[in-house]
Structure formats: structure tokens, C-alpha cells
Amino acid sequence: MTSPSVSATVRCVTPPAPRRRSADAARAASDVIELLEVLWERGRDAASPVPVSSSQLRVLYILERDEGINLRGLGDLLGAAPSSVSRLCDRLQAVGFVERATSQTSRRELELRLTAGGRRFLAELRERREEALTAAIATMTPAARSALVEGLAGFRTAVGNSERLGDDRSDGRSARSA
């Protein structure tokens, strides 16, 4: 009895060109994000002598956008446990960036708000980051700047569309976190 011969052909499968270009763009975007993180850290360090972690910075962004949010709501947006959120807010309150006040609708709840110092910190941070970006972009050719603007607009649209599809909040507010 003879066994049938099995012949295997090995082929190198090359992803279609659009998928390969998307992967190349994703790698390039990832590289840019790493560079932006370095610039962001420099801006954060220069904006205030008070060290603020990236988690604390997310809290500040959320409070700026969702003025008067309570700890539970903040925890939902951060995807964090109530005790962790409370400690983050404790630290931000200690440096004068956040204040807690009794809710007008329920005396059992506390509302979280940015203080003038917290708003000033975010404004200075944004100013320093914008200065760093402006300096870097100024060294680009006009064609490269135009391509950057067009590419970022397309990226913003794509991300915005995907977030809207996944946003199940009934109050119409964006569920994005900083």
C-alpha cells in the first residue's frame, strides 16, 4: 500500500498595499507619539514646580471638561476604583489644583472643580506645549506642514468617527478621557 504524496507549497503572503500602508502609518504615528510624550513631559515640568503625574493630569483635563463631576463619575471615566480616584483628588487638592464642594442636588455627594490655580496650570502647560510644537513645525518645509495638517485632520476625523460609534452615553457628553 502506498501512501499518497502530499505536496505543500509555501507562499509568502504579502499584505495588500492599503493594509501595509496603514501599518506603516501606524508605526510612524507611534514614533511621533513617543516624541510628543517627551515634549509633553518637558512642558509639564516647566509649567509648574509642582510635580503632576499623567494620571493627575488626566483628572485635571476631565474636571476642566466636566465641571462639577462627582468621584463616581470621575472613576467611571478613568476606569479606576473609587479609592484610587479619591487619592488622586486628595493630592490635587493638596497642591491647590482641585476643590471639592457639596453638591447642590445631593448633600451626600461631592462635586469636583478646578481651582484658579488648576486652570492656570493647564493654561501654562498648553502654552509651553504649543511653543514646543510651533518651534518644531517651523523647521518643516511648507509642503510637509501642509501634509501634516491634512494628515492630522484625517486622523482626527477617523478617531472621532470610531469614538462616536463606541460612545453609549445618553447625556450627549463625550466619554473621552484626557
Side-chain angles (χ1 to χ4, degrees):
M1 181 191 288
T2 61
S3 62
S5 71
V6 177
S7 154
T9 305
V10 177
R11 289 184 290 159
C12 290
V13 178
T14 305
R19 176 174 268 155
R20 200 173 43 245
R21 283 192 296 266
S22 292
D24 290 345
R27 274 191 295 280
S30 182
D31 290 344
V32 169
I33 288 168
E34 289 176 9
L35 291 171
L36 284 172
E37 286 173 343
V38 170
L39 285 176
W40 278 187
E41 287 299 316
R42 287 184 194 155
R44 189 172 65 200
D45 294 343
S48 170
V50 177
V52 176
S53 71
S54 56
S55 296
Q56 291 168 333
L57 189 56
R58 284 184 65 203
V59 169
L60 294 176
Y61 287 139
I62 292 170
L63 294 182
E64 180 183 48
R65 188 185 64 235
D66 292 332
E67 184 81 15
I69 193 170
N70 63 23
L71 283 171
R72 184 175 24 91
L74 180 59
D76 289 346
L77 289 175
L78 292 171
S83 59
S84 298
V85 175
S86 186
R87 282 192 303 272
L88 278 170
C89 291
D90 288 344
R91 287 187 219 108
L92 290 168
Q93 188 174 11
V95 295
F97 289 170
V98 171
E99 64 185 2
R100 299 176 195 203
T102 304
S103 170
Q104 300 289 334
T105 58
S106 170
R107 286 189 272 177
R108 295 183 327 172
E109 287 188 6
L110 292 176
E111 294 179 343
L112 302 167
R113 301 188 187 293
L114 285 179
T115 63
R119 291 186 192 288
R120 193 170 35 258
F121 171 78
L122 288 177
E124 290 170 6
L125 176 65
R126 287 185 175 113
E127 184 180 329
R128 299 227 189 267
R129 287 178 172 179
E130 190 171 317
E131 287 170 1
L133 284 173
T134 299
I137 292 169
T139 65
M140 297 169 66
T141 65
R145 283 194 300 270
S146 293
L148 177 65
V149 169
E150 183 178 340
L152 290 174
F155 181 76
R156 183 182 312 116
T157 299
V159 170
N161 288 339
S162 68
E163 282 191 356
R164 277 190 290 282
L165 293 174
D167 188 1
D168 60 355
R169 292 178 63 159
S170 60
D171 61 6
R173 292 183 301 166
S174 171
R176 290 187 306 178
S177 57

